Amino acid sequence: MKKIKLTTISTLFGSAVFAADEKIVAVGSSAPGLGLSQSDLLIVISLVFAFVLLFVSVTLLNAFKVMYWEQLNPRPYSPPEKAPVLDYDSWLKQKKNKPSVWEKMLGLKPVSQEKDLEIDHAYDGIKELNNPVPAWFNILFFGTMVFAICYLFYYHIGGYGDLQDQEYANEILKAQEEKAAFLEKSSNTIDENSVKFDNTQTVLEEGKGIFNTNCVVCHGDRGQGIIGPNLTDEFWLHGGGINNIFKTIKYGVPDKGMISWEKMLSPKQISAVSNYIMSLKDSKPAGAKAPQGDKYEEKSPQDNEMKSVGDSLSASDATKN
């Protein structure tokens, strides 16, 4: 009877709450809240409340059920039994003698077997135990010896592997190849703002070849000037310096008859020929054309010079070390 009454009361109470919420939903107006309207939010709250109420009802029902059966069949009270107090030896015997993983790894024996491990001699009452080294330690120790012999034969006797000095030389060579590949790739991104002064022999030879192929008709074979201006003096029509020369070659001067070389020469080639023209300064060739334009004074061409990063350790130092 109690179970039926409790279930009926819970059902009626839940129905009353849900009906009250239904009236509120019918009257309420829709308003945004967490992506739900006010009516939807009230419905969700009502469902959550009904679920919590159902859970509490089931819990109370189980509790009343236990109390009901306890009243019908009461269990007699039995006082707790007092466990006997054991001494250390008795307690030790009750413990499990199974060794742990750590004891297995170290090859340790339990204390109960200490008498069996004693060696027949003592020093001032101190006895020695016969605890052999674990097998895994012996395998590891002798394995390092085998590895050392193989390493010595592979690197020092047989010469199959590269030693430290040779590895350093290989890394230097690899770095130089990667640097050359990077410079080759980045050379096509050079413009009039990022071009650098570079008077290395390789760049000047490349620039000279481009100049002799494309520029001698107007500027002469030594830059002395024919149709175009003299490129060996300090006077410039469109500004001197590596940046201005690069810009003039790249975009040209159509109103003066100089075409744009942007589509015929790569940025690297324009940079090379610009550096070659910079090297012609003060060469004073015979039959040079009269100065034209304004005198250009640059503080220091080395300000734009391409500088290579030096290694912090030389090959000779590595060999000495």
PDB file of all heavy atoms in Angstrom, residues 138-154:
ATOM      1  N   ASN A 138      73.837  -8.757 -16.372  1.00  0.00           N
ATOM      2  CA  ASN A 138      74.956  -9.397 -17.066  1.00  0.00           C
ATOM      3  C   ASN A 138      74.786  -9.310 -18.577  1.00  0.00           C
ATOM      4  O   ASN A 138      75.749  -9.071 -19.311  1.00  0.00           O
ATOM      5  CB  ASN A 138      75.058 -10.861 -16.627  1.00  0.00           C
ATOM      6  CG  ASN A 138      75.554 -11.000 -15.198  1.00  0.00           C
ATOM      7  OD1 ASN A 138      76.329 -10.175 -14.724  1.00  0.00           O
ATOM      8  ND2 ASN A 138      75.085 -12.032 -14.502  1.00  0.00           N
ATOM      9  N   ILE A 139      73.544  -9.492 -19.048  1.00  0.00           N
ATOM     10  CA  ILE A 139      73.297  -9.393 -20.492  1.00  0.00           C
ATOM     11  C   ILE A 139      73.585  -7.984 -20.985  1.00  0.00           C
ATOM     12  O   ILE A 139      74.216  -7.776 -22.036  1.00  0.00           O
ATOM     13  CB  ILE A 139      71.845  -9.797 -20.805  1.00  0.00           C
ATOM     14  CG1 ILE A 139      71.627 -11.281 -20.481  1.00  0.00           C
ATOM     15  CG2 ILE A 139      71.503  -9.518 -22.262  1.00  0.00           C
ATOM     16  CD1 ILE A 139      70.185 -11.726 -20.608  1.00  0.00           C
ATOM     17  N   LEU A 140      73.162  -6.986 -20.209  1.00  0.00           N
ATOM     18  CA  LEU A 140      73.407  -5.596 -20.599  1.00  0.00           C
ATOM     19  C   LEU A 140      74.894  -5.269 -20.573  1.00  0.00           C
ATOM     20  O   LEU A 140      75.415  -4.601 -21.481  1.00  0.00           O
ATOM     21  CB  LEU A 140      72.644  -4.654 -19.651  1.00  0.00           C
ATOM     22  CG  LEU A 140      72.777  -3.165 -19.909  1.00  0.00           C
ATOM     23  CD1 LEU A 140      72.200  -2.811 -21.279  1.00  0.00           C
ATOM     24  CD2 LEU A 140      72.075  -2.352 -18.823  1.00  0.00           C
ATOM     25  N   PHE A 141      75.596  -5.735 -19.565  1.00  0.00           N
ATOM     26  CA  PHE A 141      77.029  -5.440 -19.428  1.00  0.00           C
ATOM     27  C   PHE A 141      77.825  -6.053 -20.576  1.00  0.00           C
ATOM     28  O   PHE A 141      78.621  -5.375 -21.236  1.00  0.00           O
ATOM     29  CB  PHE A 141      77.528  -5.947 -18.077  1.00  0.00           C
ATOM     30  CG  PHE A 141      79.006  -5.781 -17.884  1.00  0.00           C
ATOM     31  CD1 PHE A 141      79.548  -4.522 -17.645  1.00  0.00           C
ATOM     32  CD2 PHE A 141      79.856  -6.869 -17.944  1.00  0.00           C
ATOM     33  CE1 PHE A 141      80.907  -4.351 -17.474  1.00  0.00           C
ATOM     34  CE2 PHE A 141      81.220  -6.702 -17.780  1.00  0.00           C
ATOM     35  CZ  PHE A 141      81.757  -5.444 -17.537  1.00  0.00           C
ATOM     36  N   PHE A 142      77.611  -7.340 -20.827  1.00  0.00           N
ATOM     37  CA  PHE A 142      78.354  -7.992 -21.903  1.00  0.00           C
ATOM     38  C   PHE A 142      77.891  -7.487 -23.273  1.00  0.00           C
ATOM     39  O   PHE A 142      78.659  -7.498 -24.234  1.00  0.00           O
ATOM     40  CB  PHE A 142      78.197  -9.510 -21.805  1.00  0.00           C
ATOM     41  CG  PHE A 142      78.902 -10.114 -20.625  1.00  0.00           C
ATOM     42  CD1 PHE A 142      78.183 -10.624 -19.559  1.00  0.00           C
ATOM     43  CD2 PHE A 142      80.298 -10.147 -20.559  1.00  0.00           C
ATOM     44  CE1 PHE A 142      78.837 -11.176 -18.464  1.00  0.00           C
ATOM     45  CE2 PHE A 142      80.955 -10.687 -19.467  1.00  0.00           C
ATOM     46  CZ  PHE A 142      80.223 -11.200 -18.405  1.00  0.00           C
ATOM     47  N   GLY A 143      76.629  -7.030 -23.363  1.00  0.00           N
ATOM     48  CA  GLY A 143      76.161  -6.444 -24.608  1.00  0.00           C
ATOM     49  C   GLY A 143      76.907  -5.157 -24.956  1.00  0.00           C
ATOM     50  O   GLY A 143      77.212  -4.897 -26.122  1.00  0.00           O
ATOM     51  N   THR A 144      77.210  -4.331 -23.947  1.00  0.00           N
ATOM     52  CA  THR A 144      77.995  -3.111 -24.197  1.00  0.00           C
ATOM     53  C   THR A 144      79.405  -3.445 -24.672  1.00  0.00           C
ATOM     54  O   THR A 144      79.964  -2.726 -25.511  1.00  0.00           O
ATOM     55  CB  THR A 144      78.061  -2.258 -22.926  1.00  0.00           C
ATOM     56  OG1 THR A 144      78.601  -3.038 -21.847  1.00  0.00           O
ATOM     57  CG2 THR A 144      76.686  -1.769 -22.523  1.00  0.00           C
ATOM     58  N   MET A 145      79.966  -4.520 -24.162  1.00  0.00           N
ATOM     59  CA  MET A 145      81.299  -4.926 -24.612  1.00  0.00           C
ATOM     60  C   MET A 145      81.268  -5.367 -26.069  1.00  0.00           C
ATOM     61  O   MET A 145      82.159  -5.006 -26.863  1.00  0.00           O
ATOM     62  CB  MET A 145      81.823  -6.049 -23.710  1.00  0.00           C
ATOM     63  CG  MET A 145      82.002  -5.645 -22.249  1.00  0.00           C
ATOM     64  SD  MET A 145      82.574  -6.993 -21.202  1.00  0.00           S
ATOM     65  CE  MET A 145      84.176  -7.312 -21.911  1.00  0.00           C
ATOM     66  N   VAL A 146      80.233  -6.124 -26.438  1.00  0.00           N
ATOM     67  CA  VAL A 146      80.103  -6.547 -27.841  1.00  0.00           C
ATOM     68  C   VAL A 146      79.901  -5.339 -28.745  1.00  0.00           C
ATOM     69  O   VAL A 146      80.475  -5.238 -29.838  1.00  0.00           O
ATOM     70  CB  VAL A 146      78.946  -7.548 -27.984  1.00  0.00           C
ATOM     71  CG1 VAL A 146      78.685  -7.874 -29.448  1.00  0.00           C
ATOM     72  CG2 VAL A 146      79.251  -8.825 -27.207  1.00  0.00           C
ATOM     73  N   PHE A 147      79.094  -4.380 -28.300  1.00  0.00           N
ATOM     74  CA  PHE A 147      78.856  -3.166 -29.089  1.00  0.00           C
ATOM     75  C   PHE A 147      80.148  -2.370 -29.262  1.00  0.00           C
ATOM     76  O   PHE A 147      80.418  -1.832 -30.344  1.00  0.00           O
ATOM     77  CB  PHE A 147      77.805  -2.302 -28.398  1.00  0.00           C
ATOM     78  CG  PHE A 147      77.565  -0.979 -29.064  1.00  0.00           C
ATOM     79  CD1 PHE A 147      76.783  -0.888 -30.201  1.00  0.00           C
ATOM     80  CD2 PHE A 147      78.162   0.179 -28.570  1.00  0.00           C
ATOM     81  CE1 PHE A 147      76.571   0.332 -30.829  1.00  0.00           C
ATOM     82  CE2 PHE A 147      77.954   1.398 -29.192  1.00  0.00           C
ATOM     83  CZ  PHE A 147      77.156   1.471 -30.322  1.00  0.00           C
ATOM     84  N   ALA A 148      80.961  -2.287 -28.201  1.00  0.00           N
ATOM     85  CA  ALA A 148      82.212  -1.540 -28.287  1.00  0.00           C
ATOM     86  C   ALA A 148      83.162  -2.178 -29.290  1.00  0.00           C
ATOM     87  O   ALA A 148      83.833  -1.482 -30.074  1.00  0.00           O
ATOM     88  CB  ALA A 148      82.863  -1.464 -26.908  1.00  0.00           C
ATOM     89  N   ILE A 149      83.231  -3.512 -29.319  1.00  0.00           N
ATOM     90  CA  ILE A 149      84.104  -4.198 -30.276  1.00  0.00           C
ATOM     91  C   ILE A 149      83.625  -3.953 -31.704  1.00  0.00           C
ATOM     92  O   ILE A 149      84.422  -3.660 -32.609  1.00  0.00           O
ATOM     93  CB  ILE A 149      84.148  -5.700 -29.951  1.00  0.00           C
ATOM     94  CG1 ILE A 149      84.830  -5.925 -28.586  1.00  0.00           C
ATOM     95  CG2 ILE A 149      84.888  -6.460 -31.035  1.00  0.00           C
ATOM     96  CD1 ILE A 149      84.765  -7.353 -28.109  1.00  0.00           C
ATOM     97  N   CYS A 150      82.313  -4.050 -31.925  1.00  0.00           N
ATOM     98  CA  CYS A 150      81.769  -3.798 -33.268  1.00  0.00           C
ATOM     99  C   CYS A 150      81.995  -2.360 -33.697  1.00  0.00           C
ATOM    100  O   CYS A 150      82.336  -2.086 -34.861  1.00  0.00           O
ATOM    101  CB  CYS A 150      80.277  -4.135 -33.284  1.00  0.00           C
ATOM    102  SG  CYS A 150      79.894  -5.869 -32.992  1.00  0.00           S
ATOM    103  N   TYR A 151      81.830  -1.408 -32.767  1.00  0.00           N
ATOM    104  CA  TYR A 151      82.041   0.008 -33.083  1.00  0.00           C
ATOM    105  C   TYR A 151      83.496   0.257 -33.462  1.00  0.00           C
ATOM    106  O   TYR A 151      83.784   0.979 -34.425  1.00  0.00           O
ATOM    107  CB  TYR A 151      81.652   0.843 -31.870  1.00  0.00           C
ATOM    108  CG  TYR A 151      81.784   2.333 -32.060  1.00  0.00           C
ATOM    109  CD1 TYR A 151      80.723   3.083 -32.549  1.00  0.00           C
ATOM    110  CD2 TYR A 151      82.975   2.995 -31.756  1.00  0.00           C
ATOM    111  CE1 TYR A 151      80.840   4.453 -32.731  1.00  0.00           C
ATOM    112  CE2 TYR A 151      83.106   4.354 -31.944  1.00  0.00           C
ATOM    113  CZ  TYR A 151      82.039   5.077 -32.427  1.00  0.00           C
ATOM    114  OH  TYR A 151      82.164   6.433 -32.604  1.00  0.00           O
ATOM    115  N   LEU A 152      84.421  -0.321 -32.691  1.00  0.00           N
ATOM    116  CA  LEU A 152      85.847  -0.142 -32.967  1.00  0.00           C
ATOM    117  C   LEU A 152      86.204  -0.695 -34.337  1.00  0.00           C
ATOM    118  O   LEU A 152      86.950  -0.066 -35.107  1.00  0.00           O
ATOM    119  CB  LEU A 152      86.663  -0.829 -31.868  1.00  0.00           C
ATOM    120  CG  LEU A 152      88.182  -0.703 -31.969  1.00  0.00           C
ATOM    121  CD1 LEU A 152      88.598   0.745 -31.768  1.00  0.00           C
ATOM    122  CD2 LEU A 152      88.868  -1.595 -30.934  1.00  0.00           C
ATOM    123  N   PHE A 153      85.676  -1.851 -34.667  1.00  0.00           N
ATOM    124  CA  PHE A 153      85.984  -2.452 -35.966  1.00  0.00           C
ATOM    125  C   PHE A 153      85.362  -1.649 -37.109  1.00  0.00           C
ATOM    126  O   PHE A 153      85.996  -1.445 -38.146  1.00  0.00           O
ATOM    127  CB  PHE A 153      85.478  -3.899 -36.002  1.00  0.00           C
ATOM    128  CG  PHE A 153      85.692  -4.578 -37.328  1.00  0.00           C
ATOM    129  CD1 PHE A 153      86.946  -5.080 -37.675  1.00  0.00           C
ATOM    130  CD2 PHE A 153      84.648  -4.698 -38.242  1.00  0.00           C
ATOM    131  CE1 PHE A 153      87.140  -5.693 -38.902  1.00  0.00           C
ATOM    132  CE2 PHE A 153      84.847  -5.309 -39.469  1.00  0.00           C
ATOM    133  CZ  PHE A 153      86.095  -5.799 -39.804  1.00  0.00           C
ATOM    134  N   TYR A 154      84.118  -1.172 -36.925  1.00  0.00           N
ATOM    135  CA  TYR A 154      83.411  -0.485 -38.016  1.00  0.00           C
ATOM    136  C   TYR A 154      84.027   0.875 -38.328  1.00  0.00           C
ATOM    137  O   TYR A 154      84.187   1.238 -39.504  1.00  0.00           O
ATOM    138  CB  TYR A 154      81.940  -0.337 -37.640  1.00  0.00           C
ATOM    139  CG  TYR A 154      81.094   0.292 -38.720  1.00  0.00           C
ATOM    140  CD1 TYR A 154      80.624  -0.471 -39.785  1.00  0.00           C
ATOM    141  CD2 TYR A 154      80.743   1.643 -38.677  1.00  0.00           C
ATOM    142  CE1 TYR A 154      79.850   0.081 -40.779  1.00  0.00           C
ATOM    143  CE2 TYR A 154      79.970   2.214 -39.670  1.00  0.00           C
ATOM    144  CZ  TYR A 154      79.529   1.438 -40.721  1.00  0.00           C
ATOM    145  OH  TYR A 154      78.766   2.011 -41.700  1.00  0.00           O
TER     146      TYR A 154
END
